[in-house]
Amino acid sequence: MEFFNNHNKLFTTALLLFLFLTIMVCIMPAMTNQRINAALPNAIPLSEDAIKGKALYISNGCVACHTQQVRSIEMDNVWGERPSVAADYANNYRTDFWRNTATLMGTERTGPDLANIGQRQPSADWHLPHLFNPRIVVKESIMPAYPWLFTIKDKLEKGDTEVNIPEEFMKGRKGKVVATEEALQLVAYLQELKQAKLPNGTPEPEFLYPKKPGLANTSKPGAEPEMDGAMLYSNNCQSCHQANGEGLKGAFPPLKGSKVVLDDNPELMLDIIMNGYNAQDQFGEMPAVGTNNRLKPAEIAAIMNHERTSWGNNSRKVTAAEIEKLIKSLE
Amino acid sequence: MKKSNVVKVGIVGAALWIPSHLTLYAAISGNSSDDYSSILLLTTVAVLVGILIFSALYLYSKTKQISEVMKRRIGTNDGRFSKYIETFDSKQIDQYFKFKSKEGIKGGQGNLLTTLLLTTAMCLSANTASSQSSRSTGSLLTEGGILITLVLILVPIAAGIILMIVKIRQVLKVYQNKENQEEGERLAEYLKEIDGKELENALLKRKHALDYGLNHNELTGHLAAEDDKGLLLDVSNSAILPVVSAKKRATKRPAIDPELSRLILWFLGSATFWLLFGTTVGEYLGIKFVAPDVDQVSWLSFGRLRPVHTNAVFWGWASMAMLGLGYYVVPRVSNIPLVSIKLGWWTLYLINASVILGSVFLMAGINNGGGEYREYIWPIQLLFGIGLLLTLINFLRTIARRTTHEIYISNWYIVASVMFALVISIVAYIPTWQNGLGETIVQGYYMHQGVGMWFMLFTLGIVYYFLPQQLNKPIYSYSLGILAFWAQILFYTVIGTHHFVFSSIPWSLQTIAIVGSVGMVIPVAAGTANFLLTFNGAWYKLPSSYTLPFFLVGVIFYFTGSLQGTAEAFRSTNLIWHFTDFTVAHSHLTMYGIICFFLWAGIYALVPRLSGKEAPQITVGAHFWLALIGLLFYTIPLMYGSTLKGLMWIDGKPFIDSVVLMAPYWLWRAIGGSLMWLSHIFFAYNIYKMLTGSPPVDVREAAIAKLNQSYATTEPEL
């Protein structure tokens, strides 16, 4: 065919077709989406420190393993309270003259999603040792260690943030581990990664593909489905209090043998779970896990029972109804 | 040789089977037990329908046979009988003559109507049965009990049909035997009656021909073979037991312009360096999954090294190798020299500079924002872009001056891919449309077009040249190649956002991407069919060639790997596989299985032409097998493990449990990766041998040289 034997016509046609499709599926949608989306009114812009922390997040390639998107499917509910919406990304602008807008959504979840990490894990006392070596707090983690964000000093100076590192992770080095400004900036960024509330009256997008109720439980109508306390503990509590319930010396208190946990009256324990706790100098601040993660009374009861009966703890089990009543009275 | 074929077929089979098996496994286990039983039912129904169709076809062919027999009864005899006589065997001819000399002879009816009636009844019943089963397929009820009942009803129906077929077969056989017996009697009658010298002579001659046999020494002897045309080469007088089969050596071709040759070899040499560098980094990253504390140096931390690996193998290895081969193909199929070798050198410098700088910058923590494959900051990627632009100009001007009338299909693919690579780089680096969600949409577009429009199109162009060349026959269909070309542009361009299914980019855009992914079946099927049909009729060349196995593996992964991408794009599969290592396995199946294997095939085909030297076949074989086995070790455990991982996430298990789960699969990945890495060492050695290696001393050459030498020394005395 004549058309195919004319290089001008052939290559121009191919190029035009490609350009046309590019404009239709890439450039136009990209421009439309950056125009029509604005940050949510409730969204708090990143602080100066957090902006620097974001730059560190980018330059160390954290996006290779961490996503920042809660997909609109039920299985992603653990990462955020609602599916991410376009407005969540509207504040993400070009970094500087040399660098493009940061890619945050990510395509790999080798590590946990971070879209709502500021809510899920607000404690700098957790983040700092975790950055020094993730295996301090999560034994099975395969995340790289970032010791270069810390310095080791013989003596603390004024304003230094000391990080409590267990002996085995010091690799024979002596001295106090101090977080550098960069480490604090990175943690500030992580702490500020929170899902903003949608404006009043805006319905939250739904999580699709909801789990079907388990068949085993429907066989006994009326019976309360048995919650897996160990799994809930592992999802919500373990990163600080550890699988053995012993916590981390100088950072997170042990639950094993804890007076609060063993108390016959579960009220104080429930209060701490629901509202957090920050009273002791020697331990980090505890977030309001129960409220933040929207745990249901039955789930809280399961977690409490797991804690009250594991690692040698031997206290009475609480019921979901009891917890539900107590939660009401706490409010 | 047979055995190695069997092994190859086995591996090919495994490669085809395992992804599909995993897909099925995922489809089944991803859903609840309801879906499981419906899949079971669907399979059963499909089997039953298959049985019905088969029986209908069988009955049809049987009825045809019967009508043949009927015709025999009605038609005239002569033509038929002489046919029988022509096909007598030697013994029958003997018997005939014996009879003729002795003169002595002998001579029933069947009930056709009943048989026919019976057959019709069977056909009817078969039809009703099939309509019944198809109706049950249509209304797939979800109640388990009803499904089981339906299956239970269908099973005896199918059994009954099979039984009926057996019965009909028996009846037909009895009828046919009877008919044949009668026909035989009629033939005997005919033979008795005819006479004639002509027939006898013909039969005698036929018998003589049939009795002919070889005396078993036609091909042996003590005399040297007459070989006027010089066709016998590499004659071996002593049979030895080879460790590996010897492959054909590269054919000697007229030398090409040494200047161009030097440029191409530099491209391929740089590519080899970047392959070694990039995969060493990749190997190290694979180890980090198993031993995260192997080092704690900022420049070597996982997040910084990962883009070093991907960019080095993309822009350093694959792009340079493609361009090197392209610089040979484009002028060759245009039938004129390359317009400017100098511009080619500039491309080489610029791309090397861009990969060197880019790698250093990434390790130093300076990147473009983390978008995959555009991690180099713009001043560095600009070098690459200028290099490509120079190549585009060079190629276009060469093609414009071509002496052939048509533009060979290779040049369609190659030029288009260079143009598109420039377009996507510009789109990806211009900041105007990159805020907020715009960045994500551009990222989805860019990362996928980089793979599909740059690597895939260019490599296909190379295959369209080298595959027919190595098979020494034209490409099966030019039209299929053209179809694949336009279909690829049409569908591939729109599929980028399938990396962000269920994210906050517009739902419609996600749907378009999924539909486009399905559309990719067209170019992939067309391309695969074209390549395989080109192989067709020349399969015998496969065992004796060391380049064709690379092509074949590339074609197989082109089909399986690309269609796996289609399967991954669906929403249902995204639930399980998205964010897991499945994506990593897929990208290695495609970038490595397709692109690398094709490139190696092209390099092993081309370099001996340029340098006149070949690589040792044993190390080429080692390269091939280590790369292939390594790839399978790498990808299959990863796909399996990440399927389990996805299911675990769906079940809401703690995230860290999924990390623990993956540990053995990551170990397998590291093992597979090590094999792949080892194969690259062999490849680099082969390149070294092809460039600088000196062949072992040949006795004949040595003798001639000696003669020349002594001639030169003795001459003055004469």
Side-chain angles (χ1 to χ4, degrees):
Chain A
M1 214 192 302
E2 180 50 36
F3 164 75
F4 288 157
N5 296 329
N6 180 325
H7 53 270
N8 287 325
K9 283 184 191 163
L10 173 67
F11 293 136
T12 312
T13 312
L15 183 63
L16 285 179
L17 176 60
F18 185 66
L19 279 175
F20 170 74
L21 290 168
T22 296
I23 291 168
M24 294 308 286
V25 300
C26 174
I27 296 178
M28 292 230 306
M31 294 188 90
T32 313
N33 276 283
Q34 77 172 17
R35 196 183 67 240
I36 60 171
N37 288 312
L40 293 171
N42 298 325
I44 306 158
L46 293 180
S47 67
E48 216 165 288
D49 270 355
I51 290 173
K52 288 180 185 153
K54 183 180 168 190
L56 281 162
Y57 184 90
I58 297 164
S59 81
N60 285 296
C62 303
V63 72
C65 300
H66 292 286
T67 51
Q68 285 189 29
Q69 52 170 317
V70 180
R71 294 175 296 167
S72 54
I73 46 180
E74 182 68 20
M75 63 191 272
D76 268 27
N77 200 354
V78 291
W79 304 120
E81 292 165 15
R82 58 165 173 82
S84 297
V85 294
D88 292 334
Y89 304 92
N91 262 343
N92 193 18
Y93 295 111
R94 186 170 180 85
T95 312
D96 56 31
F97 179 70
W98 304 104
R99 297 176 183 85
N100 190 22
T101 315
T103 298
L104 298 175
M105 271 196 195
T107 51
E108 285 279 319
R109 208 172 257 171
T110 311
D113 183 86
L114 300 180
N116 200 31
I117 183 71
Q119 193 85 36
R120 292 195 294 112
Q121 180 49 276
S123 164
D125 297 309
W126 185 86
H127 281 296
L128 287 170
H130 181 253
L131 281 176
F132 185 84
N133 191 327
R135 279 150 294 286
I136 295 174
V137 282
V138 186
K139 202 168 85 248
E140 303 87 351
S141 170
I142 58 152
M143 177 168 142
Y146 294 87
W148 66 88
L149 296 175
F150 299 83
T151 50
I152 298 179
K153 290 182 177 175
D154 293 333
K155 236 171 65 187
L156 289 184
E157 287 160 46
K158 203 172 166 240
D160 275 355
T161 312
E162 197 202 345
V163 186
N164 203 332
I165 303 296
E167 191 62 37
E168 54 183 303
F169 289 96
M170 289 297 286
K171 289 186 174 170
R173 286 164 297 185
K174 292 272 175 273
K176 312 255 180 211
V177 177
V178 175
T180 61
E181 212 177 333
E182 289 186 322
L184 296 172
Q185 286 164 348
L186 187 51
V187 171
Y189 175 60
L190 294 174
Q191 285 173 318
E192 287 179 35
L193 285 177
K194 288 178 191 170
Q195 286 189 312
K197 290 260 175 303
L198 293 181
N200 286 343
T202 313
E204 289 191 354
E206 268 176 75
F207 283 109
L208 307 172
Y209 302 91
K211 280 175 206 141
K212 287 172 197 162
L215 290 171
N217 291 332
T218 52
S219 57
K220 280 185 284 172
E224 201 141 299
E226 191 62 34
M227 292 277 179
D228 187 347
M231 192 171 105
L232 286 162
Y233 176 81
S234 158
N235 269 341
N236 296 291
C237 325
Q238 188 169 305
S239 63
C240 291
H241 294 292
Q242 303 297 305
N244 58 9
E246 288 174 12
L248 212 65
K249 214 180 133 217
F252 314 113
L255 302 178
K256 182 179 169 182
S258 153
K259 272 187 203 153
V260 177
V261 174
L262 290 171
D263 194 345
D264 193 56
N265 179 3
E267 208 173 323
L268 178 59
M269 186 181 179
L270 181 67
D271 192 9
I272 294 175
I273 292 174
M274 294 308 290
N275 301 321
Y277 188 63
N278 186 20
Q280 296 162 337
D281 275 346
Q282 74 267 39
F283 292 121
E285 183 185 345
M286 163 137 174
V289 174
T291 318
N292 291 348
N293 297 0
R294 293 188 183 180
L295 295 176
K296 294 181 191 76
E299 291 171 324
I300 293 174
I303 291 176
M304 287 171 78
N305 288 334
H306 175 74
E307 292 174 352
R308 290 161 78 91
T309 58
S310 305
W311 323 297
N313 285 358
N314 191 8
S315 189
R316 85 173 167 88
K317 287 200 172 189
V318 294
T319 63
E322 183 185 357
I323 296 300
E324 194 167 5
K325 225 170 92 188
L326 275 175
I327 290 175
K328 288 221 174 82
S329 72
L330 281 174
E331 285 162 358
Chain B
M1 199 144 289
K2 276 275 156 55
K3 217 170 200 176
S4 75
N5 274 344
V6 171
V7 174
K8 274 174 208 164
V9 169
I11 283 175
V12 164
L16 281 164
W17 173 78
I18 285 162
S20 61
H21 167 74
L22 271 173
T23 320
L24 188 66
Y25 170 80
I28 291 169
S29 40
N31 298 316
S32 69
S33 55
D34 279 1
D35 298 332
Y36 180 80
S37 56
S38 70
I39 286 172
L40 197 72
L41 179 89
L42 211 65
T43 321
T44 321
V45 170
V47 169
L48 288 172
V49 170
I51 290 173
L52 291 177
I53 291 171
F54 176 76
S55 43
L57 284 174
Y58 182 80
L59 285 178
Y60 175 72
S61 74
K62 273 286 161 194
T63 346
K64 248 191 149 171
Q65 271 182 21
I66 294 296
S67 69
E68 288 291 314
V69 175
M70 297 261 291
K71 260 189 216 149
R72 203 160 74 187
R73 287 169 65 97
I74 300 157
T76 55
N77 293 345
D78 287 329
R80 232 169 58 230
F81 287 154
S82 49
K83 243 188 207 132
Y84 287 133
I85 295 166
E86 275 167 26
T87 51
F88 269 173
D89 67 18
S90 174
K91 211 171 135 200
Q92 286 160 340
I93 297 173
D94 262 349
Q95 296 277 335
Y96 171 72
F97 280 120
K98 218 185 262 173
F99 160 80
K100 272 283 175 195
S101 60
K102 276 204 238 157
E103 287 286 342
I105 325 148
K106 282 193 216 153
Q109 285 215 314
N111 198 341
L112 182 66
L113 196 65
T114 41
T115 328
L116 265 181
L117 274 174
L118 199 62
T119 321
T120 336
M122 296 295 154
C123 284
L124 275 176
S125 75
N127 282 339
T128 41
S130 71
S131 66
Q132 232 168 30
S133 64
S134 67
R135 192 180 57 211
S136 69
T137 321
S139 59
L140 256 187
L141 305 169
T142 42
E143 290 295 326
I146 294 178
L147 295 184
I148 293 167
T149 320
L150 277 174
V151 172
L152 288 177
I153 294 169
L154 285 170
V155 167
I157 292 177
I161 292 166
I162 292 170
L163 197 70
M164 273 195 275
I165 289 173
V166 171
K167 288 280 175 203
I168 293 172
R169 218 179 144 250
Q170 276 172 358
V171 171
L172 289 179
K173 200 173 160 192
V174 168
Y175 173 71
Q176 203 163 4
N177 280 344
K178 205 168 144 200
E179 275 298 309
N180 285 350
Q181 188 63 39
E182 283 172 18
E183 178 81 350
E185 279 160 17
R186 284 194 290 274
L187 177 61
E189 209 62 41
Y190 175 78
L191 287 174
K192 229 189 297 181
E193 275 155 24
I194 56 156
D195 66 333
K197 270 279 155 262
E198 217 173 295
L199 175 70
E200 284 188 8
N201 282 341
L203 281 174
L204 274 174
K205 203 175 161 197
R206 176 79 186 142
K207 179 168 163 51
H208 188 68
L210 285 173
D211 289 347
Y212 178 76
L214 294 172
N215 55 12
H216 303 302
N217 59 1
E218 282 82 359
L219 295 174
T220 58
H222 300 292
L223 300 174
E226 284 284 333
D227 182 21
D228 293 336
K229 308 250 169 15
L231 298 173
L232 301 180
L233 297 168
D234 287 337
V235 179
S236 166
N237 289 320
S238 55
I240 46 160
L241 198 62
V243 181
V244 289
S245 55
K247 310 268 175 167
K248 278 209 179 86
R249 301 185 62 82
T251 25
K252 289 239 159 50
R253 303 286 304 169
I256 73 156
D257 178 8
E259 280 307 304
L260 179 66
S261 173
R262 220 163 70 83
L263 172 68
I264 293 170
L265 292 177
W266 264 96
F267 264 108
L268 300 180
S270 311
T272 311
F273 170 78
W274 288 118
L275 176 70
L276 272 184
F277 171 81
T279 53
T280 305
V281 174
E283 166 74 358
Y284 189 57
L285 289 169
I287 290 170
K288 286 196 162 214
F289 274 89
V290 192
D293 279 325
V294 61
D295 80 76
Q296 296 187 349
V297 182
S298 64
W299 281 49
L300 300 180
S301 76
F302 184 88
R304 292 195 194 178
L305 272 191
R306 184 183 184 273
V308 173
H309 161 67
T310 52
N311 285 284
V313 294
F314 269 36
W315 313 126
W317 147 244
S319 301
M320 298 272 255
M322 278 161 23
L323 286 167
L325 296 171
Y327 271 102
Y328 179 83
V329 173
V330 172
R332 179 54 50 131
V333 298
S334 304
N335 207 18
I336 52 146
L338 186 72
V339 162
S340 166
I341 290 175
K342 205 172 145 198
L343 279 184
W345 283 104
W346 273 107
T347 303
L348 178 84
Y349 302 144
L350 286 166
I351 294 183
N352 271 321
S354 135
V355 184
I356 293 169
L357 287 174
S359 302
V360 173
F361 272 62
L362 287 178
M363 286 166 84
I366 301 166
N367 67 50
N368 187 41
E372 274 178 285
Y373 318 137
R374 49 173 177 160
E375 283 105 341
Y376 291 173
I377 53 173
W378 65 261
I380 294 174
Q381 194 70 11
L382 186 64
L383 300 178
F384 188 90
I386 295 172
L388 276 198
L389 185 65
L390 296 182
T391 294
L392 179 64
I393 294 168
N394 214 347
F395 283 178
L396 279 177
R397 284 174 60 202
T398 305
I399 291 169
R401 294 181 191 185
R402 72 188 182 278
T403 57
T404 58
H405 179 56
E406 74 284 352
I407 307 163
Y408 182 63
I409 190 93
S410 279
N411 281 352
W412 291 40
Y413 280 89
I414 291 174
V415 170
S417 77
V418 183
M419 289 192 309
F420 298 170
L422 283 168
V423 170
I424 61 165
S425 304
I426 292 166
V427 171
Y429 276 88
I430 284 186
T432 317
W433 38 71
Q434 309 249 6
N435 286 336
L437 219 51
E439 188 276 336
T440 310
I441 293 169
V442 173
Q443 174 61 25
Y445 163 84
Y446 170 78
M447 69 199 253
H448 223 101
Q449 302 317 306
V451 177
M453 288 306 179
W454 171 234
F455 295 108
M456 199 64 240
L457 271 190
F458 203 120
T459 306
L460 286 174
I462 287 167
V463 177
Y464 272 108
Y465 174 76
F466 281 106
L467 180 64
Q469 185 225 48
Q470 289 295 300
L471 287 167
N472 200 18
K473 60 191 290 228
I475 192 80
Y476 172 76
S477 161
Y478 209 83
S479 312
L480 270 179
I482 293 172
L483 169 75
F485 177 80
W486 294 110
Q488 169 113 357
I489 298 176
L490 187 62
F491 292 115
Y492 214 117
T493 317
V494 305
I495 70 178
T497 33
H498 73 201
H499 287 267
F500 296 101
V501 172
F502 296 125
S503 79
S504 39
I505 65 167
W507 190 261
S508 56
L509 213 54
Q510 300 176 22
T511 307
I512 290 171
I514 296 169
V515 172
S517 308
V518 177
M520 278 308 292
V521 172
I522 297 172
V524 170
T528 312
N530 211 358
F531 297 145
L532 287 180
L533 288 166
T534 308
F535 260 110
N536 202 18
W539 287 107
Y540 66 92
K541 291 189 174 178
L542 186 65
S544 62
S545 159
Y546 61 81
T547 56
L548 289 175
F550 283 97
F551 279 113
L552 184 62
V553 169
V555 172
I556 289 163
F557 281 119
Y558 179 50
F559 187 74
T560 54
S562 307
L563 292 191
Q564 186 192 47
T566 300
E568 277 182 82
F570 298 133
R571 291 206 166 89
S572 54
T573 46
N574 252 278
L575 284 173
I576 304 170
W577 289 331
H578 195 40
F579 293 149
T580 69
D581 299 84
F582 202 94
T583 322
V584 181
H586 171 68
S587 66
H588 281 82
L589 267 184
T590 47
M591 274 305 291
Y592 198 86
I594 306 172
I595 306 289
C596 294
F597 272 87
F598 276 150
L599 290 178
W600 286 323
I603 289 171
Y604 283 129
L606 177 61
V607 179
R609 282 186 179 214
L610 304 180
S611 69
K613 294 168 194 131
E614 282 186 76
Q617 291 183 355
I618 183 103
T619 48
V620 176
H623 170 206
F624 175 80
W625 286 109
L626 284 172
L628 181 59
I629 295 168
L631 178 64
L632 297 179
F633 275 9
Y634 183 109
T635 49
I636 292 168
L638 264 196
M639 291 192 282
Y640 185 76
S642 49
T643 305
L644 298 180
K645 187 182 187 175
L647 295 175
M648 221 169 173
W649 288 351
I650 291 175
D651 282 349
K653 294 271 161 48
F655 185 82
I656 195 68
D657 287 9
S658 68
V659 176
V660 175
L661 165 94
M662 283 305 287
Y665 305 107
W666 281 330
L667 182 63
W668 273 109
R669 180 248 287 270
I671 293 169
S674 305
L675 294 179
M676 288 151 81
W677 182 76
L678 196 61
S679 82
H680 305 155
I681 304 277
F682 278 109
F683 171 65
Y685 173 77
N686 292 337
I687 286 279
Y688 169 76
K689 279 303 220 186
M690 286 190 281
L691 294 181
T692 61
S694 50
V697 175
D698 184 291
V699 178
R700 287 150 290 199
E701 288 287 334
I704 298 295
K706 185 77 191 163
L707 278 182
N708 281 339
Q709 212 179 9
S710 57
Y711 178 71
T713 48
T714 50
E715 199 173 29
E717 288 170 20
L718 283 170

